[in-house]
Amino acid sequence: MGKVLVIGCGGVAQVAIQKCAQNDAVFDEICIASRTVSKCDDLKKKIEAEGKSRSKITTAKVNADSVDELIALIKSVKPDVVLNLALPYQDLTIMDACLACGVHYVDSANYEPEDTEDPKWRAIYEKRCKELGFTAYFDYSWQWAYQKKYKNAGITAILGTGFDPGVTSVFTAYALKHYFDQIDTIDILDCNGGDHGYPFATNFNPEINLREVSANGSYWENGHWVETKPMEIKREYNFEQVGMKDMYLLHHEEIESLAKNVPGVKRIRFFMTFGQSYLTHMKCLENVGMLRTDPVMFEGREIVPIQFLKALLPDPASLGPRTVGKTNIGCIYTGTKDGKKRNIKIYNVCDHQECYKEVGSQAISYTTGVPAMIGTMMVMTGQWKGAGVFNVEEFDPDPYMEALNKWGLPWVVDENPVLVD
Ligand code: NDP
């Protein structure tokens, strides 16, 4: 059917690319590109050696910080869709290149600048903190600003098709379509019950993960943001197939788009589970300055502490063989249908070892990579279409929900869930 150009070949991309190769009726050709082309070549060899896919796979070298390099690559590969699975830092350059070439764009995380000390960015950020009331470094304003340009160019940008954001927002559209006339509250619960046996490691890119977790929390209530100190709000929840876990309220990007796209919603919160060991390590690293994102001088050269830390920590892609246990990620909705109060929970349970057997990755990469493939498929097949910039909850959820069941992330609707106080 068509050709996808995937930028990035890290933990998430490796799953998404293997799922595209499994889905060879849709993805005739896959080009994998990043700065380290040897990684892309290794994945190509792995898929070809398995001999199960009819997709043609090619690789290329690109620095996605350069719009010119991206344009040259897109012009030579001629993809139908570009799937951005590099880092949030590259979202805008890749969106610019897609716009210049008239090609659809898909990603899994919203824009965040690499250098949060950049004065030009900082001025806009500080104004936003005051106006909107949350201090996260990432927000949708930068990418939503492309709406008119993408509309005029007649191309589609789909923002945030991982699990959260991504599946959690599609669950919300599905709940609204089939279960509610009005959704009042949304609690997104992200539980990783997996154990990798290390005292400390992150399940996806450490820099992005630690920036997110060490930041202030926030939630949406009655039309505005309420901000909390990092990890200030803690709850316990008994997750199906995982058990009782501590979870903490975080700021998370889909709260921003759901607040805009779910009419009349009164409260949206996001909770993620963390063990005590993870939190103690993180606090210590933060206290000694290892989470700093600005350059410091060390022995005559500049280093960014969080990037140095990344070099010391286990590569998330290497956790696959050692991680056991399950993830349980989903959403609890309260609201009304036909004048009656109703509560439901929609969730997926994913087993780390099953994922490893199938694609050689742990469940965090799997639960992000599969929806990245599905979102790209929605655009490639025309099941989701429209000119402009969209979040996933703005489309018909049904074909995406069907694809989740088919491609490895089956979901459950619980019509009598335990609520979070
Ligand atoms: P990794 O760090 O494992 O991989 C990042 C990839 O991007 C690498 O292959 C790297 O390759 C490539 N890359 C980085 N910089 C550039 C550049 N300048 N030019 C070209 N390629 C580049 O990250 P993950 O796979 O863990 O995460 C990928 C994305 O998925 C992130 O944006 C993350 O935020 C998002 N994510 C989303 C989730 C969701 O549920 N929505 C959950 C988890 C992650 P190289 O260095 O060789 O260039």
Side-chain angles (χ1 to χ4, degrees):
M1 181 174 283
K3 191 189 281 187
V4 62
L5 166 61
V6 183
I7 314 282
C9 190
V12 173
Q14 298 213 0
V15 176
I17 291 159
Q18 290 179 76
K19 294 307 269 194
C20 289
Q22 284 178 15
N23 192 0
D24 53 12
V26 170
F27 298 98
D28 294 335
E29 285 192 46
I30 306 165
C31 177
I32 316 168
S34 81
R35 290 170 305 186
T36 320
V37 76
S38 59
K39 268 202 200 167
C40 310
D41 289 335
D42 289 347
L43 181 59
K44 169 181 153 77
K45 275 186 213 137
K46 179 186 172 204
I47 296 169
E48 287 176 350
E50 283 167 1
K52 291 185 199 148
S53 175
R54 284 167 301 163
S55 308
K56 179 181 168 202
I57 301 176
T58 58
T59 63
K61 183 175 164 68
V62 73
N63 179 358
D65 292 323
S66 157
V67 178
D68 290 344
E69 275 193 37
L70 285 163
I71 290 176
L73 177 66
I74 295 171
K75 283 195 173 152
S76 83
V77 173
K78 299 189 179 61
D80 299 285
V81 186
V82 172
L83 171 57
N84 166 17
L85 294 175
L87 297 177
Y89 312 147
Q90 282 84 43
D91 285 4
L92 303 186
T93 46
I94 301 176
M95 284 186 85
D96 281 332
C98 284
L99 192 59
C101 300
V103 173
H104 304 306
Y105 169 90
V106 176
D107 73 23
S108 76
N110 71 6
Y111 174 67
E112 180 173 347
E114 186 159 12
D115 176 10
T116 53
E117 298 304 315
D118 171 16
K120 215 168 126 204
W121 174 83
R122 194 106 209 153
I124 299 169
Y125 163 75
E126 277 164 12
K127 186 163 171 273
R128 188 216 76 200
C129 290
K130 272 201 207 112
E131 281 172 8
L132 296 187
F134 68 94
T135 54
Y137 287 146
F138 50 87
D139 74 84
Y140 275 119
S141 64
W142 299 89
Q143 292 179 275
W144 285 343
Y146 285 72
Q147 167 64 14
K148 228 188 214 154
K149 290 188 234 169
Y150 268 62
K151 197 169 178 201
N152 291 342
I155 54 173
T156 311
I158 308 258
L159 309 183
T161 176
F163 206 105
D164 41 341
V167 176
T168 49
S169 303
V170 176
F171 282 172
T172 305
Y174 187 79
L176 202 50
K177 181 171 177 186
H178 298 287
Y179 287 88
F180 291 95
D181 297 323
Q182 168 70 48
I183 291 180
D184 292 330
T185 70
I186 305 172
D187 277 334
I188 303 161
L189 310 191
D190 180 332
C191 164
N192 179 10
D195 181 6
H196 44 59
Y198 286 117
F200 186 75
T202 63
N203 290 297
F204 69 98
N205 183 285
E207 193 177 331
I208 305 298
N209 182 236
L210 290 166
R211 271 190 180 199
E212 172 180 283
V213 174
S214 57
N216 284 339
S218 72
Y219 58 97
W220 178 260
E221 192 167 53
N222 298 325
H224 60 89
W225 291 93
V226 181
E227 189 149 76
T228 70
K229 293 267 170 292
M231 306 290 169
E232 186 183 327
I233 299 184
K234 177 186 167 188
R235 298 283 187 271
E236 282 186 348
Y237 197 83
N238 196 0
F239 289 89
E240 300 79 1
Q241 298 189 49
V242 174
M244 196 60 103
K245 291 275 171 195
D246 291 342
M247 58 184 194
Y248 297 83
L249 184 140
L250 300 183
H251 175 82
H252 222 248
E253 62 198 67
E254 67 267 50
I255 302 179
E256 195 186 358
S257 72
L258 291 174
K260 183 176 151 215
N261 292 323
V262 180
V265 65
K266 294 189 181 73
R267 191 188 66 201
I268 312 173
R269 301 183 298 186
F270 180 97
F271 292 91
M272 190 177 271
T273 63
F274 295 101
Q276 200 48 53
S277 169
Y278 181 97
L279 294 179
T280 309
H281 277 82
M282 195 185 75
K283 196 74 215 159
C284 174
L285 291 166
E286 187 179 19
N287 286 344
V288 297
M290 283 301 288
L291 302 190
R292 281 176 60 171
T293 56
D294 54 319
V296 296
M297 288 306 287
F298 178 72
E299 295 191 341
R301 58 168 293 200
E302 277 194 344
I303 61 163
V304 177
I306 200 165
Q307 286 174 1
F308 178 65
L309 176 65
K310 180 179 181 221
L312 301 179
L313 289 174
D315 178 357
S318 72
L319 300 177
R322 18 186 326 140
T323 308
V324 292
K326 292 176 181 173
T327 60
N328 177 326
I329 318 176
C331 306
I332 301 173
Y333 304 98
T334 69
T336 45
K337 176 81 178 170
D338 301 328
K340 288 197 198 107
K341 291 231 170 285
R342 160 176 249 184
N343 308 325
I344 67 161
K345 182 177 183 201
I346 312 181
Y347 65 93
N348 160 264
V349 174
C350 191
D351 185 292
H352 285 285
Q353 282 298 303
E354 292 296 320
C355 298
Y356 185 68
K357 265 188 242 152
E358 186 193 324
V359 292
S361 302
Q362 33 82 358
I364 304 300
S365 302
Y366 192 90
T367 52
T368 312
V370 171
M373 179 281 283
I374 293 174
T376 311
M377 170 172 76
M378 291 294 118
V379 180
M380 190 82 95
T381 56
Q383 284 167 288
W384 283 3
K385 60 177 170 217
V389 175
F390 300 91
N391 291 91
V392 291
E393 66 271 19
E394 294 179 76
F395 291 101
D396 179 6
D398 291 354
Y400 194 109
M401 293 292 276
E402 205 181 303
L404 287 170
N405 282 334
K406 179 170 176 194
W407 293 102
L409 294 175
W411 42 272
V412 176
V413 178
D414 175 354
E415 298 205 34
N416 188 20
V418 175
L419 303 183
V420 181
D421 63 15

Coordinates of all heavy atoms in Angstrom, one line a residue, residues 200-202 205-211 214 278 281-286 288-292 303-316:
F200 N 18.5 0.8 39.7 CA 17.9 2.0 39.1 C 18.1 2.0 37.6 O 19.2 1.8 37.1 CB 18.5 3.3 39.6 CG 17.8 4.6 39.1 CD1 16.6 4.9 39.6 CD2 18.4 5.3 38.1 CE1 16.0 6.1 39.1 CE2 17.8 6.5 37.6 CZ 16.6 6.9 38.1
A201 N 17.0 2.1 36.8 CA 17.0 2.2 35.3 C 15.7 2.8 34.9 O 14.7 2.7 35.6 CB 17.2 0.8 34.7
T202 N 15.7 3.5 33.7 CA 14.5 4.0 33.2 C 14.0 3.1 32.0 O 14.9 2.5 31.3 CB 14.6 5.4 32.8 OG1 15.5 5.5 31.7 CG2 15.1 6.3 33.9
N205 N 13.8 6.5 27.2 CA 14.9 7.4 27.2 C 15.1 8.1 28.5 O 14.2 8.8 29.0 CB 14.7 8.5 26.1 CG 15.8 9.4 26.0 OD1 16.0 10.3 26.8 ND2 16.6 9.3 25.0
P206 N 16.2 7.9 29.3 CA 16.3 8.4 30.6 C 16.2 9.9 30.7 O 15.6 10.4 31.7 CB 17.8 8.0 31.0 CG 18.2 7.0 30.0 CD 17.4 7.2 28.8
E207 N 16.7 10.6 29.7 CA 16.7 12.1 29.8 C 15.2 12.6 29.8 O 14.8 13.4 30.6 CB 17.4 12.6 28.6 CG 17.8 14.1 28.7 CD 18.6 14.5 27.5 OE1 19.3 13.7 26.9 OE2 18.4 15.7 27.2
I208 N 14.5 12.0 28.9 CA 13.1 12.5 28.7 C 12.3 12.0 30.0 O 11.5 12.7 30.6 CB 12.4 11.9 27.5 CG1 13.2 12.2 26.2 CG2 11.0 12.3 27.3 CD1 13.3 13.7 25.9
N209 N 12.5 10.7 30.4 CA 11.8 10.2 31.5 C 12.1 10.9 32.8 O 11.1 11.3 33.5 CB 12.2 8.7 31.7 CG 11.5 8.0 32.8 OD1 12.1 7.4 33.7 ND2 10.2 8.0 32.8
L210 N 13.3 11.2 33.1 CA 13.7 11.9 34.4 C 13.2 13.3 34.4 O 12.8 13.9 35.4 CB 15.2 11.7 34.6 CG 15.6 10.3 35.0 CD1 17.1 10.1 34.9 CD2 15.1 9.9 36.4
R211 N 13.3 14.0 33.2 CA 12.8 15.4 33.2 C 11.3 15.4 33.5 O 10.9 16.3 34.3 CB 12.9 15.9 31.7 CG 14.2 16.5 31.4 CD 14.0 17.2 30.0 NE 15.2 17.9 29.6 CZ 15.2 18.8 28.7 NH1 14.1 19.2 28.1 NH2 16.3 19.4 28.3
S214 N 10.7 14.4 37.5 CA 11.1 15.3 38.5 C 10.5 16.6 38.5 O 10.8 17.5 39.3 CB 12.7 15.4 38.4 OG 13.0 15.9 37.1
Y278 N 13.2 3.6 43.2 CA 13.3 4.5 42.0 C 13.2 5.9 42.5 O 14.1 6.8 42.2 CB 12.1 4.2 41.1 CG 12.1 5.1 39.8 CD1 12.6 4.7 38.6 CD2 11.6 6.4 39.9 CE1 12.7 5.5 37.5 CE2 11.6 7.2 38.8 CZ 12.1 6.8 37.6 OH 12.1 7.6 36.5
H281 N 16.5 6.9 44.5 CA 17.6 7.2 43.6 C 17.4 8.5 42.8 O 18.3 9.3 42.7 CB 17.7 6.1 42.5 CG 18.4 4.9 43.0 ND1 17.8 3.9 43.8 CD2 19.7 4.5 42.8 CE1 18.7 3.0 44.0 NE2 19.9 3.3 43.4
M282 N 16.2 8.8 42.4 CA 15.9 10.0 41.6 C 16.1 11.2 42.4 O 16.8 12.2 42.0 CB 14.5 10.0 41.0 CG 14.3 11.0 40.0 SD 12.7 11.1 39.4 CE 11.9 12.0 40.8
K283 N 15.7 11.2 43.7 CA 15.8 12.4 44.6 C 17.3 12.6 44.8 O 17.7 13.8 44.8 CB 15.1 12.1 45.9 CG 14.8 13.3 46.7 CD 13.7 14.1 46.1 CE 13.9 15.6 46.3 NZ 13.2 16.5 45.4
C284 N 18.0 11.6 45.0 CA 19.5 11.7 45.3 C 20.2 12.3 44.1 O 20.9 13.3 44.2 CB 20.0 10.4 45.7 SG 21.8 10.4 45.8
L285 N 19.9 11.8 42.9 CA 20.5 12.3 41.6 C 20.1 13.8 41.4 O 21.0 14.6 41.1 CB 20.0 11.5 40.4 CG 20.5 10.0 40.4 CD1 19.8 9.2 39.4 CD2 22.0 10.0 40.0
E286 N 18.9 14.1 41.8 CA 18.4 15.5 41.6 C 19.2 16.4 42.6 O 19.7 17.4 42.2 CB 16.9 15.6 41.9 CG 16.4 16.9 41.6 CD 14.9 17.0 41.8 OE1 14.3 16.1 42.5 OE2 14.3 17.9 41.3
V288 N 22.1 16.1 43.9 CA 23.5 16.3 43.6 C 23.7 17.0 42.2 O 24.8 17.2 41.8 CB 24.3 15.0 43.7 CG1 24.3 14.4 45.1 CG2 23.9 14.0 42.6
G289 N 22.6 17.3 41.6 CA 22.7 18.1 40.3 C 22.8 17.2 39.0 O 23.0 17.8 38.0
M290 N 22.6 15.9 39.2 CA 22.8 15.1 38.0 C 21.6 15.1 37.0 O 21.7 14.6 35.9 CB 23.0 13.6 38.4 CG 24.4 13.3 38.9 SD 25.7 13.7 37.7 CE 25.4 12.4 36.5
L291 N 20.5 15.7 37.4 CA 19.4 15.9 36.5 C 19.4 17.2 35.8 O 18.4 17.5 35.0 CB 18.0 15.7 37.2 CG 17.8 14.4 38.0 CD1 16.4 14.2 38.4 CD2 18.2 13.1 37.1
R292 N 20.4 18.0 36.0 CA 20.5 19.3 35.3 C 20.5 19.2 33.8 O 21.2 18.3 33.3 CB 21.7 20.1 35.8 CG 21.5 20.7 37.2 CD 22.7 21.4 37.7 NE 23.2 22.5 36.8 CZ 24.1 23.4 37.2 NH1 24.7 23.2 38.3 NH2 24.5 24.3 36.3
I303 N 29.7 19.7 29.6 CA 28.9 18.5 29.6 C 27.5 18.8 30.2 O 27.4 19.7 31.1 CB 29.5 17.3 30.4 CG1 29.7 17.6 31.8 CG2 30.8 16.7 29.7 CD1 29.9 16.3 32.7
V304 N 26.5 18.1 29.7 CA 25.2 18.3 30.3 C 24.9 17.1 31.3 O 25.0 16.0 30.8 CB 24.1 18.3 29.2 CG1 22.7 18.4 29.8 CG2 24.3 19.4 28.2
P305 N 24.8 17.4 32.6 CA 24.8 16.3 33.6 C 23.8 15.2 33.2 O 24.1 14.0 33.3 CB 24.4 17.0 34.9 CG 24.9 18.4 34.7 CD 24.8 18.7 33.2
I306 N 22.5 15.5 32.8 CA 21.6 14.5 32.6 C 22.0 13.6 31.4 O 21.7 12.4 31.3 CB 20.1 15.0 32.4 CG1 19.1 13.9 32.7 CG2 19.9 15.7 31.1 CD1 17.7 14.4 32.9
Q307 N 22.7 14.2 30.4 CA 23.2 13.4 29.3 C 24.3 12.5 29.7 O 24.4 11.3 29.2 CB 23.6 14.3 28.1 CG 22.4 14.9 27.4 CD 22.8 15.9 26.4 OE1 23.9 16.2 26.1 NE2 21.8 16.5 25.8
F308 N 25.2 13.0 30.6 CA 26.2 12.1 31.2 C 25.6 10.9 31.9 O 26.0 9.8 31.8 CB 27.1 12.9 32.1 CG 28.2 12.1 32.7 CD1 29.2 11.6 31.9 CD2 28.3 11.9 34.1 CE1 30.2 10.8 32.5 CE2 29.3 11.2 34.6 CZ 30.3 10.6 33.8
L309 N 24.6 11.3 32.7 CA 23.9 10.2 33.5 C 23.3 9.1 32.5 O 23.4 7.9 32.8 CB 22.7 10.8 34.3 CG 21.8 9.9 35.1 CD1 22.6 9.2 36.2 CD2 20.7 10.6 35.7
K310 N 22.8 9.6 31.4 CA 22.2 8.7 30.4 C 23.2 7.7 30.0 O 23.0 6.5 29.8 CB 21.6 9.5 29.2 CG 21.0 8.6 28.1 CD 20.5 9.4 27.0 CE 19.9 8.4 26.0 NZ 20.2 8.7 24.6
A311 N 24.5 8.2 29.8 CA 25.6 7.3 29.3 C 25.9 6.2 30.4 O 26.4 5.2 30.1 CB 26.8 8.1 29.0
L312 N 25.6 6.5 31.7 CA 25.9 5.6 32.7 C 24.8 4.5 33.0 O 25.1 3.4 33.4 CB 26.2 6.3 34.1 CG 27.3 7.4 34.1 CD1 27.3 8.0 35.5 CD2 28.6 6.7 33.8
L313 N 23.6 5.0 32.7 CA 22.4 4.1 33.0 C 22.3 3.0 32.0 O 22.7 3.1 30.8 CB 21.2 4.9 33.1 CG 21.0 5.9 34.3 CD1 19.8 6.8 34.1 CD2 21.0 5.1 35.6
P314 N 21.6 1.9 32.4 CA 21.4 0.8 31.4 C 20.6 1.4 30.2 O 19.6 2.2 30.4 CB 20.6 -0.2 32.1 CG 20.8 0.1 33.6 CD 21.1 1.5 33.7
D315 N 20.9 1.0 29.0 CA 20.1 1.4 27.8 C 18.7 0.7 27.9 O 18.6 -0.5 28.1 CB 20.9 0.8 26.6 CG 20.1 1.1 25.3 OD1 19.0 1.7 25.4 OD2 20.6 0.8 24.2
P316 N 17.7 1.5 27.9 CA 16.3 0.9 28.0 C 16.1 -0.2 27.1 O 15.4 -1.2 27.4 CB 15.4 2.1 27.7 CG 16.2 3.3 27.9 CD 17.6 3.0 27.7

